[in-house]
Amino acid sequence: MGGHHKPTITVTDDESIRLNPAWQSVRVVALAAGVVFLLLAMALGLMQEDKSYFFHTFLTSFVYFLSISLGALFFVPIHFLARAGWNVVVRRVAELMMQNLIPMSILFLVILLPVIFGSSSLFDWNNPELLVKGGKDYDQLIAHKEPYLNWGFFAIRAVIYFGAWIWIARYFFTNSLKQDGTGDKQITLNLQKNSSLAVIVFALTVTFASFDWLMSLDPHWFSTIFGVYFFAGCAVSFFAAITVILFLLQNDGKLVGIVTKEHYHDIGKYTFGFTLFWGYIAFSQYLLIWYANIPEETEWYLRRQEHGWAYVAIFLLLGQFFIPFFGVMSRHVRRNKYALTGWAIFILVMHYVDLYYIIMPQVGNAEGAPTFGLTDICCLLGIGGIYISSLIWFATDKPLVPIKDPRLNESLALQNH
């Protein structure tokens, strides 16, 4: 990352690194709007003859916001593992973003409870008629996968995933806050020591969660690279989201002179790198499956090349890879927080399109064209409102910088060459 100079600023625990009281009004409004929009989405979903559309669009918005927090869950332990110092002044924001895994676990009940009570609106494999040997709807492949794809094991795995994620998030956050009070350097050493286990658990749980909640929407399809594909989306959306959050905080007078263009530059480099990584993984998955030409694998892509979905695929290829690749490539863009924030917003929009492309073609297994209507908007605004509200709640009365981290001065002195 280059050399360092003596920092010209000392971080103290005062109002300059805490949220303004005005954000509490935003929190209340966001929560109220989120609940109203979510209830409206549910009402619209119940009015539709095919209930599967609501569950699919809810899953799209749910995974969208979940993936941002999962990206944060990767960011924090991986930098402890690497013993990196540059990230300290932005790490608390990432720690706060991790805490939103708690409300996301509650929202997941909208998906989990119908599965437990026998609904197959979202997951075909939960339809018992497909498992009756000799029956007219018997599906041999789904029956073969039944030991893994059944509502009981599905629920147990979901509890394990969220349990592991919340434990990691709380462990790093509570110890970081504890260090704010004590300044004990041993806390950093302990977090470094346990970060390797956290990264391993993260990798395994995120991979299997993507299999369970996204890949099993089409239980005939399989891709061993899909977990990496989902992780790449989590990472790039997190770096885009933290860019926007830091921009908003600085516009509100917080972290000014603490988070500098040097930190934006490094976040921009991550954004650029994971944009490239996402494109590489997406292309690798497509190339290997299409070249092998195995019907169970190619069917997934074939569905997404018909009835207008090909236009979404092309839009995704351009918007999630080529356009941001060239947009964030420039050093000047990465060092300009206004330009970088603009690209971050664009990337966040495209991340939603990516998940929409994965999930929505499976609605009722119908050969329908892409649609985006009031139900989709209400789900997005509903979950988004709750996400923003809980993020502000977790940040209330907390320093936005780890004020006694032993590497704080290193982060304040960051210089890119």
Side-chain angles (χ1 to χ4, degrees):
M1 292 293 177
H4 304 281
H5 60 77
K6 186 177 179 180
T8 57
I9 184 168
T10 301
V11 178
T12 56
D13 188 4
D14 58 27
E15 67 276 2
S16 67
I17 60 166
R18 291 176 181 265
L19 285 183
N20 286 328
W23 282 100
Q24 297 310 311
S25 300
V26 177
R27 177 179 67 84
V28 173
V29 171
L31 179 61
V35 171
V36 168
F37 277 117
L38 207 51
L39 290 174
L40 181 58
M42 290 179 178
L44 291 169
L46 289 173
M47 286 191 291
Q48 293 175 335
E49 186 176 347
D50 182 7
K51 304 298 186 292
S52 67
Y53 190 92
F54 164 74
F55 286 109
H56 281 79
T57 194
F58 180 91
L59 180 65
T60 304
S61 294
F62 172 83
V63 175
Y64 175 77
F65 288 101
L66 175 73
S67 63
I68 294 172
S69 287
L70 288 177
L73 195 69
F74 164 74
F75 178 85
V76 173
I78 202 71
H79 283 90
F80 275 108
L81 184 62
R83 284 147 174 76
W86 77 268
N87 66 299
V88 171
V89 297
V90 302
R91 196 187 73 221
R92 179 57 52 79
V93 174
E95 290 171 349
L96 290 166
M97 293 167 74
M98 291 193 303
Q99 306 314 302
N100 265 7
L101 290 163
I102 298 171
M104 295 309 289
S105 68
I106 298 170
L107 285 171
F108 187 71
L109 292 174
V110 176
I111 296 166
L112 181 61
L113 290 178
V115 172
I116 291 175
F117 288 108
S119 170
S120 58
S121 294
L122 195 55
F123 300 106
D124 284 347
W125 50 259
N126 205 38
N127 183 356
E129 294 180 9
L130 301 179
L131 306 176
V132 180
K133 198 166 186 177
K136 65 181 180 67
D137 295 323
Y138 176 67
D139 190 310
Q140 185 176 0
L141 188 58
I142 293 179
H144 180 71
K145 296 181 178 182
E146 195 268 339
Y148 184 84
L149 293 178
N150 62 80
W151 69 265
F153 196 20
F154 177 87
I156 291 170
R157 291 195 302 274
V159 171
I160 292 171
Y161 302 151
F162 278 109
W165 297 338
I166 291 170
W167 185 87
I168 294 171
R170 295 303 296 172
Y171 174 74
F172 281 90
F173 185 51
T174 53
N175 277 282
S176 182
L177 289 176
K178 183 179 177 182
Q179 192 176 56
D180 286 349
T182 66
D184 185 2
K185 294 182 180 180
Q186 186 61 41
I187 291 175
T188 294
L189 296 175
N190 291 339
L191 292 174
Q192 287 176 176
K193 183 175 68 173
N194 295 322
S195 58
S196 55
L197 177 61
V199 170
I200 292 169
V201 171
F202 168 86
L204 290 172
T205 50
V206 168
T207 298
F208 280 95
S210 71
F211 290 168
D212 286 1
W213 305 339
L214 300 177
M215 196 165 73
S216 80
L217 291 168
D218 184 348
H220 288 189
W221 185 64
F222 50 90
S223 167
T224 54
I225 206 172
F226 188 79
V228 186
Y229 178 96
F230 178 65
F231 160 71
C234 292
V236 77
S237 63
F238 160 74
F239 287 112
I242 197 172
T243 300
V244 174
I245 292 170
L246 290 171
F247 178 84
L248 292 173
L249 287 172
Q250 291 197 314
N251 266 18
D252 198 38
K254 307 303 176 185
L255 307 180
V256 176
I258 297 173
V259 176
T260 67
K261 62 183 178 182
E262 307 296 339
H263 301 99
Y264 281 106
H265 189 179
D266 277 358
I267 293 170
K269 285 189 281 189
Y270 269 120
T271 305
F272 175 74
F274 276 101
T275 296
L276 181 62
F277 182 65
W278 178 90
Y280 167 72
I281 294 300
F283 176 73
S284 298
Q285 180 174 265
Y286 180 84
L287 180 68
L288 291 171
I289 287 176
W290 206 249
Y291 182 76
N293 201 25
I294 299 173
E296 290 87 351
E297 295 179 349
T298 55
E299 182 185 355
W300 192 86
Y301 279 108
L302 187 62
R303 183 191 296 266
R304 287 158 179 79
Q305 291 180 191
E306 297 176 334
H307 309 289
W309 285 102
Y311 296 111
V312 179
I314 295 169
F315 180 58
L316 185 61
L317 179 64
L318 293 173
Q320 182 84 332
F321 176 63
F322 281 108
I323 295 175
F325 175 82
F326 290 107
V328 190
M329 179 187 287
S330 169
R331 171 186 174 91
H332 299 293
V333 170
R334 296 198 294 262
R335 295 176 71 81
N336 183 321
K337 68 178 181 180
Y338 296 96
L340 187 61
T341 301
W343 280 109
I345 293 169
F346 179 82
I347 288 168
L348 286 171
V349 171
M350 292 310 306
H351 180 55
Y352 180 86
V353 175
D354 181 24
L355 293 168
Y356 185 88
Y357 173 78
I358 292 171
I359 296 169
M360 296 309 290
Q362 300 300 142
V363 173
N365 288 325
E367 295 181 348
T371 57
F372 185 81
L374 190 58
T375 308
D376 305 271
I377 294 170
C378 287
C379 277
L380 188 60
L381 293 176
I383 297 176
I386 293 170
Y387 188 91
I388 292 168
S389 176
S390 59
L391 183 60
I392 296 171
W393 187 82
F394 282 116
T396 301
D397 295 330
K398 306 288 194 309
L400 297 172
V401 178
I403 53 176
K404 292 185 180 178
D405 189 286
R407 292 195 175 95
L408 179 59
N409 283 340
E410 179 185 343
S411 185
L412 289 168
L414 176 66
Q415 288 286 297
N416 286 282
H417 295 301

